[in-house]
C-alpha cells in the first residue's frame, strides 16, 4: 500500500522560507504486509487546482529510508526522474517525478520517502499531490489549501486632508521567522505617502 502525509500549518510541515517562498514537506510511505517480490516504483505528481501559483519539487530535499520489522532502518540512494508522465490519467499534473528499481520488500518492511515542494503564493490557492506505486494500481492523494498571506484594504476618504487610509495585513500562519522580510507597496497615478507609516503586530493566544 501507499500512504501520503497531509502537510499543515500547525505541525511545521508548511513553512515560509527566508527568500519568500512557502515550503511544503511531504512524507510518502510504501509498505507491504505480506511482502512484495517485485521491484518497487514510486510516481508522484503536483496539480494546482485553484490560484495562480508555481510549485516545484526541491530536488535537494529528497531522502529515502527503508525500515525493517524490528525498527532498524537504512538510508537508500535514490535519483528522482523529473519527467512528465505521458499516461493520460496524469495529464493534469504540472510537475511529476518517478523513482524506479527499488529493492523488493519483505513482510512488514516499508520505504519512507520525504521531500519538499516550494511554492510562490500570496493569494488563496489549492494544491493537490498524488503518489502512486505498483504501476498506478495503488494511489494516495492529498489536497491542501494555502490561504492568502497579504491583504490590502482601503479605508474611508479623508476629505479634510485629501487622503485615503490604506491597511496592509501580512499574515504568518506558520509562525515562521520573518526577520529580514520586506513589504513593498507601489503607489500609482502620482500618489504619495502623507504622514507616517504605522506598524502594528497582532499576536494570537
Amino acid at each position: 500500500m501507499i500512504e501520503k502525509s497531509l502537510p499543515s500549518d500547525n505541525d511545521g510541515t508548511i513553512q515560509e522560507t527566508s527568500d519568500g517562498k512557502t515550503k511544503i514537506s511531504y512524507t510518502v510511505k510504501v509498505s507491504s504486509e505480506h511482502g512484495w517480490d517485485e521491484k518497487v516504483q514510486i510516481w508522484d505528481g503536483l496539480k494546482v487546482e485553484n490560484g495562480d501559483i508555481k510549485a516545484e519539487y526541491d530536488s535537494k530535499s529528497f531522502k529515502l529510508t527503508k525500515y525493517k520489522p524490528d525498527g532498524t532502518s537504512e538510508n537508500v540512494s535514490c535519483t528522482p526522474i523529473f519527467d512528465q508522465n505521458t499516461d493520460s490519467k496524469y495529464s493534469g499534473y504540472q510537475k511529476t517525478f518517478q523513482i524506479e528499481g527499488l529493492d523488493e520488500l519483505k513482510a512488514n518492511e516499508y520505504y519512507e520517502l520525504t521531500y519538499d515542494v516550494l511554492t510562490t503564493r500570496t493569494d488563496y490557492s489549492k494544491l493537490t499531490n498524488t503518489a502512486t506505486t505498483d504501476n498506478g494500481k495503488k494511489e494516495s492523494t492529498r489536497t491542501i489549501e494555502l490561504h492568502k498571506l497579504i491583504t490590502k484594504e482601503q479605508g474611508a476618504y479623508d476629505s479634510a486632508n485629501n487622503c485615503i487610509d490604506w491597511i496592509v495585513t501580512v499574515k504568518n500562519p506558520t509562525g515562521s521567522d520573518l526577520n529580514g522580510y520586506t513589504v513593498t507597496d507601489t503607489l500609482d497615478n502620482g500618489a504619495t505617502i502623507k504622514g507616517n507609516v504605522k506598524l502594528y503586530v497582532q499576536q494570537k493566544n
Side-chain angles (χ1 to χ4, degrees), residues 2 5-6 21 37 59 73 107-108 111 123-124 137 154 167 183 189-190:
I2 187 166
S5 65
L6 180 62
K21 295 181 180 179
D37 60 1
S59 61
S73 64
N108 295 313
Y111 286 107
D123 210 338
Y124 171 82
K137 298 176 183 176
Q154 177 179 331
I167 300 175
V183 177
N189 300 320

Side-chain angles (χ1 to χ4, degrees), residues 110-130:
Y110 66 92
Y111 286 107
E112 185 176 87
L113 175 67
T114 60
Y115 61 88
D116 298 331
V117 170
L118 298 175
T119 73
T120 53
R121 58 120 174 188
T122 52
D123 210 338
Y124 171 82
S125 55
K126 187 182 293 186
L127 183 66
T128 292
N129 189 206
T130 298

Side-chain angles (χ1 to χ4, degrees), residues 170-196:
V170 179
K171 299 179 181 179
N172 184 18
T174 63
S176 300
D177 184 3
L178 301 184
N179 185 40
Y181 271 53
T182 300
V183 177
T184 302
D185 190 12
T186 303
L187 303 178
D188 296 326
N189 300 320
T192 59
I193 295 177
K194 185 175 183 178
N196 297 321

